[in-house]
Protein backbone atom coordinates (compact mmCIF):
# COMPACT_ATOMS: atom_id res chain seq x y z
CA UNK A 1 0.00 0.00 0.00
CA UNK A 2 1.26 3.48 -0.83
CA UNK A 3 -0.49 5.05 2.17
CA UNK A 4 -0.07 3.11 5.42
CA UNK A 5 -2.94 2.50 7.82
CA UNK A 6 -3.24 4.94 10.73
CA UNK A 7 -1.19 4.57 13.89
CA UNK A 8 -1.87 5.78 17.42
CA UNK A 9 0.90 6.18 19.96
CA UNK A 10 -0.23 5.99 23.59
CA UNK A 11 2.70 7.46 25.52
CA UNK A 12 3.50 8.39 29.09
CA UNK A 13 5.60 7.28 32.05
CA UNK A 14 5.41 3.81 33.61
CA UNK A 15 2.38 3.67 35.87
CA UNK A 16 0.53 6.45 34.06
CA UNK A 17 -2.22 4.15 32.78
CA UNK A 18 -1.18 3.68 29.15
CA UNK A 19 -2.48 0.10 28.93
CA UNK A 20 -5.88 1.16 30.26
CA UNK A 21 -6.11 4.07 27.83
CA UNK A 22 -5.02 1.85 24.93
CA UNK A 23 -7.69 -0.71 25.83
CA UNK A 24 -10.42 1.92 25.87
CA UNK A 25 -9.22 3.31 22.54
CA UNK A 26 -9.19 -0.16 20.97
CA UNK A 27 -12.80 -0.72 22.07
CA UNK A 28 -13.94 2.46 20.31
CA UNK A 29 -12.17 2.14 16.95
CA UNK A 30 -13.25 0.23 13.87
CA UNK A 31 -11.58 -1.70 12.50
CA UNK A 32 -9.84 -2.43 15.80
CA UNK A 33 -6.11 -1.73 15.52
CA UNK A 34 -3.39 -4.23 16.34
CA UNK A 35 -1.98 -3.50 19.80
CA UNK A 36 1.80 -3.36 20.23
CA UNK A 37 2.50 -2.99 23.95
CA UNK A 38 6.17 -2.72 24.87
CA UNK A 39 5.89 -4.75 28.07
CA UNK A 40 3.91 -7.53 26.39
CA UNK A 41 6.27 -7.74 23.42
CA UNK A 42 9.54 -7.56 25.32
CA UNK A 43 8.91 -8.30 28.99
CA UNK A 44 10.43 -11.80 28.97
CA UNK A 45 13.22 -10.73 26.61
CA UNK A 46 14.20 -7.92 28.97
CA UNK A 47 14.19 -10.20 32.01
CA UNK A 48 16.33 -12.80 30.24
CA UNK A 49 18.78 -10.21 28.91
CA UNK A 50 19.23 -8.61 32.33
CA UNK A 51 19.82 -12.02 33.91
CA UNK A 52 22.31 -13.07 31.22
CA UNK A 53 24.25 -9.82 31.68
CA UNK A 54 24.25 -10.08 35.47
CA UNK A 55 22.24 -6.88 35.82
CA UNK A 56 19.63 -6.18 38.55
CA UNK A 57 16.27 -7.75 37.71
CA UNK A 58 14.45 -4.45 38.27
CA UNK A 59 16.70 -2.32 36.07
CA UNK A 60 14.59 -0.46 33.53
CA UNK A 61 16.37 2.90 33.30
CA UNK A 62 19.87 4.26 32.84
CA UNK A 63 22.65 4.31 30.23
CA UNK A 64 23.30 0.54 30.19
CA UNK A 65 19.62 -0.31 29.82
CA UNK A 66 19.08 2.37 27.19
CA UNK A 67 22.05 1.26 25.08
CA UNK A 68 21.68 -2.51 25.37
CA UNK A 69 17.93 -3.09 25.68
CA UNK A 70 15.68 -0.08 25.15
CA UNK A 71 17.15 0.72 21.75
CA UNK A 72 16.21 -2.78 20.55
CA UNK A 73 12.75 -2.68 22.13
CA UNK A 74 11.86 0.51 20.34
CA UNK A 75 13.48 -0.54 17.06
CA UNK A 76 11.51 -3.79 17.11
CA UNK A 77 8.23 -2.05 17.88
CA UNK A 78 8.85 0.49 15.12
CA UNK A 79 9.67 -2.12 12.47
CA UNK A 80 6.70 -4.28 13.47
CA UNK A 81 4.31 -1.33 13.37
CA UNK A 82 5.61 -0.22 9.97
CA UNK A 83 5.14 -3.71 8.52
CA UNK A 84 1.62 -4.15 9.93
CA UNK A 85 0.54 -0.71 8.71
CA UNK A 86 1.91 -1.39 5.23
CA UNK A 87 -0.63 -4.21 4.88
CA UNK A 88 -3.59 -1.99 5.76
CA UNK A 89 -4.03 -2.75 9.45
CA UNK A 90 -4.01 0.19 11.90
CA UNK A 91 -1.87 -0.10 15.02
CA UNK A 92 -1.74 1.23 18.57
CA UNK A 93 1.72 1.45 20.13
CA UNK A 94 1.88 1.65 23.92
CA UNK A 95 5.09 2.66 25.69
CA UNK A 96 6.83 5.63 27.33
CA UNK A 97 8.49 6.99 24.14
CA UNK A 98 9.87 9.83 26.29
CA UNK A 99 12.64 10.96 23.94
CA UNK A 100 10.49 10.81 20.82
CA UNK A 101 7.56 12.83 22.15
CA UNK A 102 9.62 15.59 23.79
CA UNK A 103 11.77 16.39 20.75
CA UNK A 104 9.92 17.61 17.66
CA UNK A 105 12.79 16.63 15.35
CA UNK A 106 13.00 13.12 16.76
CA UNK A 107 9.23 12.81 16.54
CA UNK A 108 9.22 13.66 12.83
CA UNK A 109 12.04 11.19 12.18
CA UNK A 110 10.24 8.48 14.13
CA UNK A 111 6.98 9.06 12.26
CA UNK A 112 8.95 8.50 9.04
CA UNK A 113 10.43 5.29 10.50
CA UNK A 114 6.89 4.14 11.33
CA UNK A 115 6.04 4.47 7.64
CA UNK A 116 4.76 8.04 7.58
CA UNK A 117 1.10 8.76 7.02
CA UNK A 118 -1.27 9.42 9.91
CA UNK A 119 0.37 8.96 13.32
CA UNK A 120 -1.58 10.37 16.28
CA UNK A 121 -0.04 10.87 19.71
CA UNK A 122 -2.16 10.35 22.83
CA UNK A 123 -0.24 11.55 25.89
CA UNK A 124 -1.31 10.12 29.23
CA UNK A 125 -0.63 12.88 31.75
CA UNK A 126 0.43 11.97 35.28
CA UNK A 127 2.25 13.44 38.27
CA UNK A 128 4.67 12.22 40.93
CA UNK A 129 2.03 11.47 43.56
CA UNK A 130 -0.04 9.43 41.12
CA UNK A 131 2.94 7.48 39.79
CA UNK A 132 4.23 6.62 43.26
CA UNK A 133 0.76 5.43 44.27
CA UNK A 134 0.26 3.28 41.17
CA UNK A 135 3.76 1.80 41.02
CA UNK A 136 3.58 0.82 44.68
CA UNK A 137 0.10 -0.63 44.24
CA UNK A 138 0.96 -2.86 41.29
CA UNK A 139 3.95 -4.34 43.12
CA UNK A 140 5.94 -5.30 40.03
CA UNK A 141 9.60 -6.20 40.30
CA UNK A 142 10.34 -4.15 37.19
CA UNK A 143 9.39 -1.03 39.17
CA UNK A 144 11.80 -1.64 42.06
CA UNK A 145 14.57 0.58 40.71
CA UNK A 146 12.11 3.34 39.88
CA UNK A 147 10.78 3.43 43.44
CA UNK A 148 14.28 3.16 44.94
CA UNK A 149 15.35 6.35 43.11
CA UNK A 150 11.94 7.90 42.65
CA UNK A 151 13.21 11.48 42.30
CA UNK A 152 15.62 10.48 39.56
CA UNK A 153 12.97 8.42 37.82
CA UNK A 154 10.37 11.19 37.79
CA UNK A 155 12.93 13.75 36.63
CA UNK A 156 13.77 11.55 33.66
CA UNK A 157 10.08 11.22 32.77
CA UNK A 158 9.69 15.01 32.39
CA UNK A 159 6.32 14.98 34.13
CA UNK A 160 5.79 18.73 34.04
CA UNK A 161 6.49 19.10 30.32
CA UNK A 162 3.87 18.50 27.66
CA UNK A 163 5.13 16.74 24.52
CA UNK A 164 6.77 18.83 21.82
CA UNK A 165 4.95 16.72 19.23
CA UNK A 166 1.32 17.44 18.32
CA UNK A 167 -0.81 15.46 20.74
CA UNK A 168 -4.09 14.89 22.52
CA UNK A 169 -3.81 14.78 26.32
CA UNK A 170 -5.57 12.35 28.64
CA UNK A 171 -5.47 13.33 32.32
CA UNK A 172 -5.00 10.23 34.47
CA UNK A 173 -3.80 11.96 37.63
CA UNK A 174 -5.53 11.03 40.87
CA UNK A 175 -7.07 14.52 40.78
CA UNK A 176 -8.50 14.19 37.25
CA UNK A 177 -12.03 15.55 36.96
CA UNK A 178 -13.22 13.17 34.21
CA UNK A 179 -13.00 9.40 33.79
CA UNK A 180 -10.63 7.86 31.28
CA UNK A 181 -13.59 6.41 29.40
CA UNK A 182 -15.19 9.84 28.99
CA UNK A 183 -11.92 11.50 27.97
CA UNK A 184 -11.03 8.89 25.34
CA UNK A 185 -14.60 8.85 23.99
CA UNK A 186 -14.44 12.62 23.61
CA UNK A 187 -11.16 12.36 21.68
CA UNK A 188 -12.59 9.80 19.31
CA UNK A 189 -15.84 11.72 18.86
CA UNK A 190 -13.83 14.87 18.22
CA UNK A 191 -12.01 13.40 15.27
CA UNK A 192 -9.10 11.43 16.71
CA UNK A 193 -10.23 8.67 14.36
CA UNK A 194 -11.96 8.84 11.01
CA UNK A 195 -13.69 5.57 11.83
CA UNK A 196 -15.58 5.02 15.05
CA UNK A 197 -17.44 1.92 16.08
CA UNK A 198 -21.07 2.22 15.20
CA UNK A 199 -20.50 4.56 12.25
Amino acid sequence: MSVPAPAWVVAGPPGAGKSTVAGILLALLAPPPALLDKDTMYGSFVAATLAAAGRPAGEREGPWYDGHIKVHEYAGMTSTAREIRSHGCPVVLSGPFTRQIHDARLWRAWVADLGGGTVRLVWVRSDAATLRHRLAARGSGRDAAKLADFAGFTAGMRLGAAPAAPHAAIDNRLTASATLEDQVAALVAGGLSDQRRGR
Side-chain angles (χ1 to χ4, degrees):
M1 295 182 63
S2 58
V3 179
W8 294 266
V9 178
V10 180
K18 296 182 298 297
S19 295
T20 302
V21 170
I24 298 168
L25 185 60
L26 288 167
L28 294 174
L29 298 174
L35 174 62
L36 302 179
D37 183 283
K38 187 172 80 72
D39 290 337
T40 302
M41 293 177 70
Y42 291 107
S44 61
F45 162 80
V46 170
T49 302
L50 291 171
R55 306 293 296 189
E59 183 176 357
R60 295 297 186 279
E61 303 293 334
W64 190 93
Y65 182 87
D66 291 352
H68 291 85
I69 295 180
K70 184 184 289 184
V71 62
H72 300 295
E73 291 179 293
Y74 282 173
M77 289 183 75
T78 301
S79 297
T80 302
R82 182 175 62 245
E83 185 170 4
I84 292 171
R85 297 178 69 211
S86 73
H87 293 286
C89 179
V91 298
V92 169
L93 297 98
S94 177
F97 301 111
T98 307
R99 289 184 65 246
Q100 291 89 338
I101 69 173
H102 287 291
D103 184 315
R105 182 187 59 80
L106 284 179
W107 173 260
R108 290 190 296 270
W110 188 46
V111 167
D113 289 343
L114 286 168
T118 301
V119 178
R120 298 180 174 101
L121 171 60
V122 179
W123 177 54
V124 184
R125 182 181 182 190
S126 193
D127 57 22
T130 301
L131 290 183
R132 185 186 290 276
H133 172 79
R134 293 199 172 118
L135 292 176
R138 74 184 185 184
S140 172
R142 69 176 183 266
D143 297 327
K146 300 179 184 70
L147 290 168
D149 181 19
F150 190 71
F153 161 65
T154 54
M157 292 294 103
R158 304 179 66 176
L159 297 181
H167 65 281
I170 295 291
D171 188 355
N172 198 25
R173 296 172 296 175
L174 293 172
T175 57
S177 59
T179 67
L180 291 181
E181 290 80 5
D182 287 347
Q183 292 182 68
V184 176
L187 286 180
V188 173
L192 177 64
S193 170
D194 297 327
Q195 293 183 298
R196 303 194 297 271
R197 294 215 177 167
R199 284 187 67 176

